[in-house]
Amino acid sequence: MSSYAQYLGSKKCCDLRGLGPQGPAGPTGAQGPIGAYGQTGATGNKGNTGPTGRSCKGDTGPAGPAGGPTGNTGPTGFTGPTGNIGDTGPTGATGPSQWQTSSFIGPTGAGYTGIGYTGDVMVYGALYVQGGIDPTYLALTPQTSGPSGFPNPLWVDSNNGNALRSQNIYMDNPSINNAYISLEPDNTNQIILNDGGTPNALSNIINYSSMTLNDSLTYTNTINYSSMQITNQFLPNLSYNTLINEYGVTTEYNDNTGPTGPTGGYPYQLQGFISQGSVGVIGSNQLSGNPNAALLLECSSNPGSVFSRIRYESNGGFQDFLPFWYNSGEIFRYDTNGVTVASGKYLAPNRLFLPTTTVVATGTTTLNIVGNVNTTFRSYQIGYTGTTTTVTTLTITNMPINAIYDVAIYNGGSGNLTINSSLLGTGSAIKTTYASAIVIPTLRSAIMTIKSLAFTTGGTIYVVSVSLLTP
């Protein structure tokens, strides 16, 4: 199109509003030659946009070629400020529901506030509760087997008398020294009772074969199906043990503190036992020169012997004897030589006295023998000095019936010592067995033997005999 008029003529319909009556068109003149283009004038001011004219949409032309590649997306602009929230509209009426806001003070806690539900609740599947459960009671339906997939379920076993079952139960009391009770049926400590004390907690343990009871200091007691053991760790290296089983009772003392044992060495062990038919004591000292234990005393029911074995350790060797003590003193002992009675002691009922030292007699012309009513045998000694001396009187006191006293007489003087044949003293009870006096020269000795006898005529007769000893 070469002109705007031609453009308008090409349209099927145009908006003719605002034009006056149009006269008939004149004939078109011949087209003159196109003149030279003039210079483009300055662009005028933009006029006001007129109203949109009415136009019919022409046919859609063919689609043009595709444009070039899409350019890069520009950066996102800043988000503008959020507008004010409008007023909340009125709340509508609440419809009927079993769920409602509620509060409850239970018997086991301070109370709860939340959503309450009135009526029974049935859950056909698992129930997960994040917080605690505070029911009035809990009723579990007995099952033939426990649930799977849970590490420690709690359930009722119908195959075992509807017993409540769990694999591990732990009960504690944080307000009292964290004391606790642990129940776990394994192969070690199945039941633990602990008082939570610090630092010396008492922990009593029961398992499938034994029970152990501890105190806060040194005792450990263990009881199992066949024995009971009590241990007192008095010091780190000093202990006492008692064992009771089907064989009897055994007590044991162990000393590893140092060279303080009975024999001066260590470790030292002393053991006593009571078993079927025997009672005994065993002692051992590993540093005494003999590592074997010494059987100190054993009383058994072996035929023909009450004491089957007596052993005493001394200087690294063993001596066989049995001492009898009373009030911290030895009364007598039995060994391979027989019975030895301690000094000043006697054997009943005959009051046999076996002295270890000789009693000293006194006298010059009168010989004084002081006896003991509980002693049936005694020995005396007396030494004479000076010039010629004659013993004419013999006094005897406290000599029991059927006793025998021996008196060793030594003449250490410068003259003869004469023992008269008719001794006086003790009434008329002195009787002699020699017809004439016994003369003991200087530096010589004699033995006087005194026997006390009860006669049928009543009273006591003292029979005296004197024998001069050869040089």
Side-chain angles (χ1 to χ4, degrees):
M1 303 296 175
S2 59
S3 66
Y4 181 71
Q6 291 176 333
Y7 168 74
L8 294 179
S10 67
K11 302 299 180 186
K12 294 182 178 180
C13 60
C14 297
D15 187 2
L16 301 177
R17 292 179 297 176
L19 299 178
Q22 186 176 5
T28 303
Q31 183 175 350
I34 297 173
Y37 290 99
Q39 295 181 351
T40 303
T43 303
N45 296 328
K46 184 177 180 179
N48 296 329
T49 302
T52 302
R54 225 177 138 183
S55 173
C56 295
K57 185 178 181 181
D59 296 333
T60 302
T70 303
N72 296 330
T73 303
T76 303
F78 296 104
T79 302
T82 302
N84 297 329
I85 299 175
D87 297 333
T88 302
T91 302
T94 301
S97 174
Q98 295 291 92
W99 300 94
Q100 56 184 331
T101 302
S102 174
S103 63
F104 172 70
I105 298 178
T108 60
Y112 307 93
T113 299
I115 301 299
Y117 180 82
T118 302
D120 296 336
V121 176
M122 291 171 286
V123 178
Y124 299 98
L127 174 63
Y128 169 75
V129 180
Q130 184 179 18
I133 299 177
D134 187 11
T136 303
Y137 65 90
L138 182 65
L140 302 177
T141 302
Q143 306 292 323
T144 57
S145 61
S148 60
F150 299 94
N152 188 21
L154 183 67
W155 58 289
V156 175
D157 187 359
S158 61
N159 293 327
N160 290 282
N162 293 334
L164 182 65
R165 293 189 57 173
S166 178
Q167 183 176 342
N168 190 353
I169 298 178
Y170 186 93
M171 296 172 285
D172 65 345
N173 189 347
S175 63
I176 305 179
N177 295 333
N178 292 317
Y180 69 89
I181 299 175
S182 175
L183 307 176
E184 185 175 3
D186 54 16
N187 292 328
T188 55
N189 302 325
Q190 297 179 328
I191 301 177
I192 300 176
L193 309 176
N194 191 293
D195 72 344
T198 303
N200 297 317
L202 301 183
S203 184
N204 299 328
I205 301 171
I206 303 174
N207 58 34
Y208 66 97
S209 63
S210 67
M211 178 171 63
T212 301
L213 308 175
N214 297 321
D215 73 349
S216 59
L217 297 175
T218 59
Y219 284 95
T220 301
N221 304 326
T222 302
I223 304 174
N224 58 35
Y225 66 95
S226 63
S227 67
M228 179 176 68
Q229 184 169 357
I230 303 173
T231 300
N232 179 10
Q233 190 67 38
F234 184 72
L235 292 172
N237 294 310
L238 186 65
S239 64
Y240 300 88
N241 297 310
T242 301
L243 177 65
I244 303 174
N245 56 23
E246 68 271 24
Y247 301 107
V249 180
T250 302
T251 61
E252 186 176 270
Y253 162 79
N254 294 283
D255 184 0
N256 295 316
T257 58
T260 60
T263 56
Y266 64 93
Y268 181 79
Q269 182 183 70
L270 186 65
Q271 185 181 88
F273 61 89
I274 301 175
S275 61
Q276 294 83 350
S278 65
V279 178
V281 179
I282 297 176
S284 65
N285 188 338
Q286 299 301 325
L287 299 184
S288 65
N290 192 328
N292 299 320
L295 181 60
L296 303 181
L297 172 64
E298 180 179 6
C299 304
S300 66
S301 58
N302 293 337
S305 175
V306 176
F307 304 103
S308 62
R309 195 178 192 189
I310 311 299
R311 303 187 71 181
Y312 174 75
E313 184 178 0
S314 176
N315 298 325
F318 291 102
Q319 296 179 354
D320 292 338
F321 71 92
L322 173 63
F324 286 86
W325 286 67
Y326 180 74
N327 286 340
S328 301
E330 184 178 308
I331 304 299
F332 67 93
R333 65 175 58 187
Y334 174 80
D335 55 23
T336 56
N337 296 320
V339 177
T340 303
V341 180
S343 174
K345 304 300 187 297
Y346 57 87
L347 293 177
N350 295 326
R351 308 293 183 179
L352 177 62
F353 182 78
L354 303 178
T356 56
T357 59
T358 302
V359 181
V360 177
T362 61
T364 53
T365 59
T366 299
L367 181 59
N368 300 310
I369 302 298
V370 180
N372 189 318
V373 295
N374 295 320
T375 304
T376 57
F377 175 82
R378 298 188 81 177
S379 63
Y380 297 81
Q381 66 179 11
I382 184 172
Y384 280 87
T385 60
T387 58
T388 302
T389 303
T390 300
V391 178
T392 59
T393 305
L394 177 63
T395 62
I396 302 173
T397 58
N398 296 329
M399 185 175 183
I401 300 296
N402 298 325
I404 299 177
Y405 289 174
D406 287 334
V407 184
I409 303 173
Y410 174 73
N411 182 11
S414 59
N416 292 334
L417 173 63
T418 301
I419 307 297
N420 212 331
S421 61
S422 56
L423 293 173
L424 303 176
T426 318
S428 59
I430 303 297
K431 307 295 182 182
T432 61
T433 62
Y434 48 96
S436 59
I438 302 297
V439 178
I440 307 174
T442 181
L443 305 181
R444 296 281 298 274
S445 300
I447 296 296
M448 173 186 289
T449 300
I450 306 172
K451 297 180 181 180
S452 64
L453 300 173
F455 269 53
T456 56
T457 56
T460 302
I461 299 299
Y462 299 98
V463 180
V464 180
S465 60
V466 180
S467 300
L468 181 64
L469 300 180
T470 59

